[in-house]
Each structure stands twice: as structure tokens, then as C-alpha cells.
Amino acid sequence: MEHIWDQTYECMEREELEQLQLERLQATLNRAYKNVACYRNKFTGMGIVPEDVQSLSDLSKLPFTTKEDLRLNYPYGMFAVPLREVVRIHSSSGTTGKPTVVGYTKNDLKTWSNLVARFMTAAGVTHDDVVQIAFGYGLFTGAFGLHYGSETIGATVIPMSAGNTEKQIMIMQDYKTTALVCTPTYAITLADKMEKMGIDPKSLSLKVGLFGGEPWSEAMRREIESRLCLSATDNYGLSEIIGPGVAGECRHKCGMHIFEDAFIPEIIDPETCQPLPPGSVGELVLTTLTKEAFPMIRYRTRDMTSLDYAKCACGRTMVRMKKTMGRSDDMLIIKGVNVFPSQIEEVLFAVEGCEPHYQLVVDRNGSMDVLEVRIEVTENIFFDEMKRQKAFLETIEKRIESVLGVGITVKLVEPNSIPRQEGKASRVIDKRNI
């Protein structure tokens, strides 16, 4: 059995785990009902009191929480403790209106650090590692979550923050970084820059990469692993639930273990909002079980995934979620077909000559939706003779169409013409709403 941070909880038998979940759920519902007007009003409106929840199956009777609830209760309306007990405030970027504000008590910070330590340990990080954090420090939860998780394990932390790519690489070389934390897109940016600088990744000390903050495909994992010479693992979290620390992969890389002693996951149909049977792909809904300042009941994450309850070879008994396939609200519907950027990414990585940078542009031609995939290609293909370029284009179009089941157009663009992001990649430009 491999190294596990918290054997007691991570390897708990299902029956015992469900009993613990029910006790913690009842305590959470009582706290939320008593201290958060939004929850009290939702419950009252549905004629429910916390005592009505006698088993985990009763969870589906409870109301959902959405990002809109958080905005309507901005800034502190969803807090379940007085502000004097809140020792930390984080928030989302607020690009679509008011930001969502989240709070942590002293206990919450300890819980958070331990949950992050779990998935970092699962990925192979130990107290002997040097962890370089290339997430932006600030109101975004990512950097702080991984920072405190690393320190909890006893690893050495380099709080580098985002950007300044050449300096990131210099520090990796000089400080002998063994674990890299950033978005998968930024990992590719680092690999590109190393190539330009003539640096062999094998000359670095990197062993493991912990990449999160955006959906990414298996093909992108292979690309990062071969170009940075490390083991790339996925992890999952969101500010509203706790930040990073909801789930993470072990070294078997067969789904991210959700820490079910702290969160109850459900999969629902995003249209009907009805729970779906195990194994179905749908929207992930999470309920927090251990948070004091900011409990969330049936929070709609909008992330599309599926759950696997089979025991993992690593010895952990907790359910695994598949890599997120995109979001239920970012999911593109083209001519009635559901399209996820990650499906297109998978195809592009398999085509030699495609760069790992692409953009999807959705527009409307009359009443018809049209999807254009803009792909960066290597210089020799971009400047190739017309006939060969046309054949290359048709190959990609056919491959994407066979995966999606819908017609698209492909436009080849020259290297470095798609804007680079140091944080999450912006993959989709939807012109239909303009």
C-alpha cells in the first residue's frame, strides 16, 4: 500500500463512512438553518426542517445552492459564524458581476490544509520535496491551498506566484524544484519557453506536477509529462466549496478521489435537476460536511463528470470522479450536439504538427450554429505549400467531426498568435450572444 496521509478516513469502509456522513450532514444542516437566513428561508419555503433528514437518501429532498444565492447574499450573508470568528476571506474574480465571498474559521483552515495534504501525498509529494507554486497569490484560493498543504506535509515551499516565466525556470534550475503547481496551460507555456531557451527538462529536478484550475485532457497530460519529464496529476476544487482539496488523483491516475468525509457528491441531470444513477455523466453537486464559516448545501458546481465507487488499487476507498469534461453552462451545443472543448483537445494532441494552443469560435450563420476551431501549427506547416496544407486541414476536420458527430471548420493560425494566459485558458469565444 502506498503512502496515505490520513489512513483512518481515506480507507474507511463504506458503511462506516456513510454513518459519519449522516452525522456530519445533520450537524451542518442544523448550523446552516440556525445561522444562515438564506438556508432557513429555502427550507421554510419547501416545508422542510433539518430533522427531516434521517438518511443520506433524504439529501435529494433539500434545495440546491447556486452561485446566484452567493451573489444575492454578498458579501457576508452566507456566513454561519460571526465575522469575529472568520480568520480568512477569499473570493472569486467577480468577472460576471459581484464576486462570491467565502470565509474560513481557524478550524476551517486546518481542515483545508489537511485535505490538500491528502491529494498532494496521493500524487507522491513528501516532506523531502521542494514545491514551486506558480498560481497567483491573492483572493484566488489555489495558491494558498497548495501552500498550506505543502507546509502541512513538511515540504519546502517556494511561493513564486504566477507569471514571469523566465524567472520561474531560473528558480526551478537553481532551487532544485521537485514539484510544480500551476494550471496545465501554464505548464505547456513553461515547456515552450524552456524549448526556446534550449533547456533540457531532464537537467531539472522535477518529479511531480500538480495541475488544476481548468479541465484538461489525457492527451494534454501525456504532452506535459513528456515535455517536462514529471508525473502530472489532476486535482479538483472550487472556492465556494473550500478551494483545492475537494478531490485529487493518486499515482494510479484513474480518477480523482473525493474526500467523502468532508463532502457528499451527487451527480444530477443539469436540465431536470434529478439525481442520476452511479456511473452516469452529469453535473456534480457537492455538500460540505466539516465547514464552520461557510457551509454549502447541495451546491451546483456546473462541472460535468461521473463517479466511480469501485475500490482503487491504492487502497483508498473513497469515490473517484472522472476528469471534468467541461461545464454544464460552458458546454457548447452545436446543431443539437453537446460539445466539450476537452473532446477537441484530445484530437488535436494526436495530430503531429498541431501546437497545444487552440480556440473555439462559435457563431451563427442565419439560424445555423457554426463552430470554427482555430489551431496553432508549427511554422513548417503554416508556411507549407497550399496542397499539403489543405490535406493537413482536411485530416484534422475529419478527425474532429468523427469524434463530435457534427460538422466544423478548421482554421490554421501561425505559432504564438493565440493569446497566452498565465492562469486559466480561455478556450471558447461565443459570438452568438453578442
Side-chain angles (χ1 to χ4, degrees):
M1 193 180 280
E2 52 193 85
H3 190 45
I4 293 172
W5 180 253
D6 195 333
Q7 195 96 24
T8 310
Y9 290 113
E10 293 181 71
C11 303
M12 199 176 251
E13 289 304 323
R14 175 75 28 198
E15 203 176 314
E16 201 183 340
L17 175 63
E18 288 181 355
Q19 184 54 42
L20 177 72
Q21 284 182 321
L22 181 59
E23 286 165 18
R24 288 181 169 180
L25 174 64
Q26 287 167 332
T28 295
L29 294 178
N30 281 317
R31 173 189 280 120
Y33 186 79
K34 185 165 162 254
N35 300 315
V36 184
C38 172
Y39 282 125
R40 195 161 51 250
N41 296 338
K42 276 178 181 276
F43 280 39
T44 307
M46 294 177 79
I48 297 170
V49 290
E51 289 70 35
D52 291 338
V53 175
Q54 295 297 318
S55 71
L56 290 177
S57 58
D58 291 335
L59 189 62
S60 59
K61 295 176 186 170
L62 299 176
F64 292 106
T65 311
T66 64
K67 207 155 198 159
E68 190 54 26
D69 292 316
L70 274 55
R71 290 204 185 103
L72 290 171
N73 289 280
Y74 173 89
Y76 302 139
M78 299 298 283
F79 287 16
V81 296
L83 204 53
R84 66 176 178 273
E85 288 179 35
V86 173
V87 298
R88 174 83 64 76
I89 287 171
H90 279 285
S91 80
S92 69
S93 54
T95 45
T96 49
K98 290 279 191 193
T100 52
V101 179
V102 298
Y104 301 78
T105 63
K106 226 178 198 159
N107 247 349
D108 289 336
L109 287 182
K110 199 173 162 192
T111 301
W112 187 19
S113 302
N114 271 295
L115 290 169
V116 175
R118 286 187 193 180
F119 80 72
M120 293 188 80
T121 300
V125 177
T126 71
H127 57 78
D128 294 322
D129 280 297
V130 178
V131 182
Q132 185 163 330
I133 298 176
F135 275 141
Y137 278 76
L139 290 175
F140 167 63
T141 53
F144 284 93
L146 273 294
H147 184 117
Y148 290 111
S150 302
E151 288 185 346
T152 301
I153 290 170
T156 306
V157 182
I158 306 170
M160 177 62 203
S161 200
N164 207 340
T165 306
E166 283 192 24
K167 194 175 180 189
Q168 296 272 7
I169 294 165
M170 181 194 85
I171 283 177
M172 274 182 217
Q173 290 175 303
D174 297 349
Y175 298 12
K176 305 277 186 283
T177 303
T178 59
L180 173 65
V181 172
C182 60
T183 60
T185 317
Y186 193 54
I188 296 273
T189 301
L190 285 164
D192 287 346
K193 180 60 88 173
M194 278 183 208
E195 215 166 90
K196 281 197 183 113
M197 294 167 74
I199 293 166
D200 179 1
K202 287 197 180 79
S203 68
L204 302 175
S205 307
L206 290 176
K207 290 188 320 194
V208 64
L210 298 119
F211 305 117
E214 60 191 13
W216 50 305
S217 62
E218 284 300 324
M220 194 167 187
R221 188 206 303 269
R222 290 191 292 273
E223 165 101 3
I224 292 169
E225 289 189 331
S226 69
R227 292 184 68 195
L228 289 179
C229 301
L230 48 67
S231 168
T233 60
D234 199 0
N235 60 79
Y236 176 80
L238 57 169
S239 306
E240 300 89 329
I241 296 298
I242 203 163
V246 175
E249 284 182 322
C250 64
R251 286 188 275 189
H252 296 276
K253 299 174 191 173
C254 54
M256 293 176 274
H257 293 274
I258 297 180
F259 303 124
E260 292 180 273
D261 56 316
F263 314 99
I264 299 179
E266 301 170 81
I267 296 290
I268 64 162
D269 179 321
E271 297 298 316
T272 65
C273 295
Q274 291 305 305
L276 293 171
S280 312
V281 173
E283 182 186 333
L284 179 66
V285 170
L286 291 167
T287 299
T288 65
L289 298 175
T290 54
K291 279 174 77 185
E292 294 179 342
F294 198 76
M296 284 281 104
I297 296 160
R298 299 195 85 199
Y299 182 73
R300 291 191 61 176
T301 67
R302 297 289 181 181
D303 287 317
M304 299 293 283
T305 184
S306 64
L307 301 178
D308 183 356
Y309 284 87
K311 195 170 174 178
C312 182
C314 71
R316 292 173 182 83
T317 51
M318 294 189 163
V319 69
R320 284 165 289 141
M321 64 180 271
K322 274 217 170 86
K323 274 180 170 294
T324 56
M325 292 179 66
R327 295 172 57 75
S328 63
D329 50 359
D330 283 355
M331 182 174 71
L332 296 169
I333 300 177
I334 311 290
K335 299 172 191 166
V337 177
N338 293 350
V339 174
F340 291 97
S342 57
Q343 292 172 295
I344 293 169
E345 183 175 296
E346 198 81 47
V347 175
L348 298 184
F349 273 98
V351 178
E352 199 178 329
C354 285
E355 295 284 336
H357 302 288
Y358 66 95
Q359 226 164 22
L360 312 182
V361 182
V362 194
D363 213 338
R364 193 157 275 153
N365 187 356
S367 61
M368 190 71 82
D369 289 336
V370 286
L371 173 61
E372 179 182 86
V373 183
R374 291 178 187 166
I375 306 163
E376 276 190 19
V377 286
T378 52
E379 282 188 6
N380 58 340
I381 285 172
F382 189 74
F383 295 110
D384 214 336
E385 60 187 74
M386 289 300 284
K387 207 166 95 182
R388 285 177 60 185
Q389 202 185 76
K390 192 164 179 276
F392 182 79
L393 203 84
E394 282 171 1
T395 303
I396 297 173
E397 276 185 356
K398 280 201 184 93
R399 287 198 193 179
I400 294 175
E401 283 175 17
S402 73
V403 168
L404 301 182
V406 66
I408 53 115
T409 56
V410 170
K411 184 181 179 186
L412 305 182
V413 298
E414 61 187 303
N416 301 310
S417 60
I418 291 173
R420 300 291 189 264
Q421 263 91 13
E422 284 170 351
K424 298 184 184 188
S426 179
R427 297 289 192 207
V428 180
I429 298 169
D430 196 338
K431 294 181 172 177
R432 293 174 300 182
N433 307 327
I434 297 166

